[in-house]
Amino acid sequence: MLDIQKIRADFPILTQKVNGKQLVYFDNGATSQKPKVVIDAITKYYEEINANIHRGVHTLSQLATDAYEVSRGKIQNHINAKFPYEVIFTSGTTHSINAIANGFASILKVGDEVLVSALEHHSNIVPWQMLCEKTGAKLVVIPMNDEGELIISEFDKLLSDKTKVVTVNHISNALGTLNPIKYIIDKAHEVGAAVLIDGAQAVPHLKPDVQELDCDFYVFSGHKICGPTGVGILYGKEEWLRKLPPYQGGGEMIATVSFEKTTYADLPHKFEAGTPNIAGGIVLGTAIDYLNEIGFENIQAYEHELLEYGTKRLLEIEGLKIFGTAKEKTSVISFNIEGIHPYDIGTIIDKLGIAVRTGHHCAQPIMDFYQIPGTIRASFAFYNTKEEIDTFVEAVKKAKMMLS
Ligand code: 7TS
């Protein structure tokens, strides 16, 4: 069992008052809050070892390089990648997906198909659309049902030898649906397609095992797992990372450069052009250590309790409808109240100190499916409490009264 009060004391921001009220932070789907160990590790890096990496012989550069590579190793262990060089530092999920979609421009041709799910965040739709425009390949959508689950029998039918890439999120940011990715990966491999899993919303809740999943790519952002913004991960199987061309050219990603010809550096540097977010990369390791100390099994069990409690309490409100009622889902509750715009509820409850996201959640196709402009989304983390849910439910009730 988790000692939530002890955990909450690790997060300085949680004691803040917002608009004169105690902050209730339920926008964890957008970004997580940061524990003191992470904030301190950023300061420590800049105070003690700040230097550019992989290039200097001087001591600070060596120390910074070592810390960066130690962090890569921690991430490798965390996701169970086979080799450290299969773990590429990027600026976040969006960067990671763009790097891969761009790489496939040299592989796809007219008539090929990219299968994308109806549940994706825009950052796992638009880069593939751009790729299809460039190559003449076709974007094909795996449909969803009213519960917010992918219709797997349709996925089975859409797969063919034309399918070259399948890209699906592990967990939907707008609805919280946990997708059956192991099944999707295995089926896609039967037709020889590569599979990218967008793990942005999964890594705060579970520990992915990329070898067991056997996915070709797994991507996520540091800022959703208690790390800083501006750093993320692109895991790729060695054979794919060797096959795909680099995304960006520049320093650090080369072996030799002349005006006649440039040869590329080995992995992981081939995909890490330019000076990276060094502090971010190092501190992402600190954030992962912190989460592993709490334990993902504990996190999952507790967040499930919050999900059940929050769902039950919100459904007390007349006219409230939850979008995303999948059998397998994580601690995200997306909802609307009949006759009221989500933005209006969000604005009123912000005055009461409550942070939720309102709108389309960068998943407009999901909103189109339900024919709604957006939802109010409460996304819980392991440092949230049932008391906060009570405060939130009372605030929503109050907003509803004011607006109806
Ligand atoms: N994929 C998913 C599933 C996401 O939830 C997000 C961000 C991204 C990709 C993009 O991540 P980034 O770090 O590169 O921006 N999702 C959200 C959200 O739900 N609210 O704000 C950002």
Side-chain angles (χ1 to χ4, degrees), residues 27 29-31 91-95 97 120-121 123-124 169 171-174 198-201 221 223-224 357 361-362 377:
D27 196 17
T31 197
S91 67
T93 307
T94 303
H95 176 179
I97 296 171
E120 299 311 305
H121 185 279
S123 70
N124 201 25
N169 58 37
I171 289 174
S172 150
N173 71 312
D198 173 356
Q201 293 292 337
S221 300
H223 68 90
K224 294 194 203 281
R357 185 166 171 191
H361 315 297
C362 301
R377 181 188 69 178

Side-chain angles (χ1 to χ4, degrees), residues 46 55 69 95 131 148 150 157 162 175 195 269 277 353 366 381 392:
Y46 284 113
R55 41 194 110 194
E69 293 307 321
H95 176 179
L131 169 70
L150 293 178
K157 284 188 222 153
K162 289 189 204 151
L175 306 178
V195 185
H269 306 293
N277 180 350
I366 300 181
F392 167 62

Side-chain angles (χ1 to χ4, degrees), residues 11-29:
F11 291 81
I13 208 169
L14 296 180
T15 58
Q16 287 272 329
K17 284 206 159 50
V18 169
N19 294 321
K21 306 281 183 194
Q22 173 58 49
L23 167 67
V24 171
Y25 187 78
F26 283 172
D27 196 17
N28 295 286

Side-chain angles (χ1 to χ4, degrees), residues 163-349:
T163 316
K164 295 295 177 262
V165 181
V166 175
T167 184
V168 180
N169 58 37
H170 198 164
I171 289 174
S172 150
N173 71 312
L175 306 178
T177 312
L178 174 67
N179 287 315
I181 58 165
K182 181 61 187 152
Y183 178 86
I184 290 172
I185 293 163
D186 290 347
K187 278 296 225 188
H189 283 166
E190 283 175 19
V191 297
V195 185
L196 181 141
I197 302 298
D198 173 356
Q201 293 292 337
V203 285
H205 309 292
L206 53 86
K207 197 172 145 131
D209 182 329
V210 293
Q211 287 191 76
E212 194 192 315
L213 287 170
D214 195 29
C215 52
D216 301 287
F217 307 100
Y218 194 99
V219 300
F220 59 95
S221 300
H223 68 90
K224 294 194 203 281
I225 46 168
C226 297
T229 50
V231 67
I233 294 298
L234 159 54
Y235 157 79
K237 271 188 195 160
E238 177 177 1
E239 57 165 307
W240 274 113
L241 294 179
R242 292 205 184 283
K243 203 182 301 181
L244 296 180
Y247 177 46
Q248 293 182 310
E252 278 304 293
M253 54 74 73
I254 53 90
T256 61
V257 176
S258 73
F259 286 112
E260 288 70 41
K261 187 174 168 57
T262 289
T263 56
Y264 303 133
D266 211 343
L267 296 171
H269 306 293
K270 174 179 158 189
F271 287 98
E272 293 183 347
T275 301
N277 180 350
I278 303 169
I282 294 171
V283 171
L284 182 53
T286 313
I288 283 178
D289 284 346
Y290 175 81
L291 289 171
N292 278 319
E293 257 168 53
I294 294 173
F296 277 88
E297 279 178 16
N298 295 329
I299 288 174
Q300 252 177 327
Y302 180 65
E303 288 178 342
H304 187 71
E305 258 181 56
L306 292 179
L307 173 67
E308 298 229 303
Y309 185 71
T311 305
K312 179 173 111 323
R313 291 278 352 249
L314 279 170
L315 287 174
E316 287 170 11
I317 300 173
E318 213 177 300
L320 185 144
K321 178 169 182 206
I322 293 179
F323 295 90
T325 49
K327 280 181 272 319
E328 300 285 337
K329 72 175 273 192
T330 46
S331 52
V332 172
I333 309 179
S334 246
F335 65 94
N336 272 337
I337 298 179
E338 216 180 342
I340 304 178
H341 197 282
Y343 181 80
D344 294 335
I345 303 248
T347 308
I348 291 178
I349 68 174

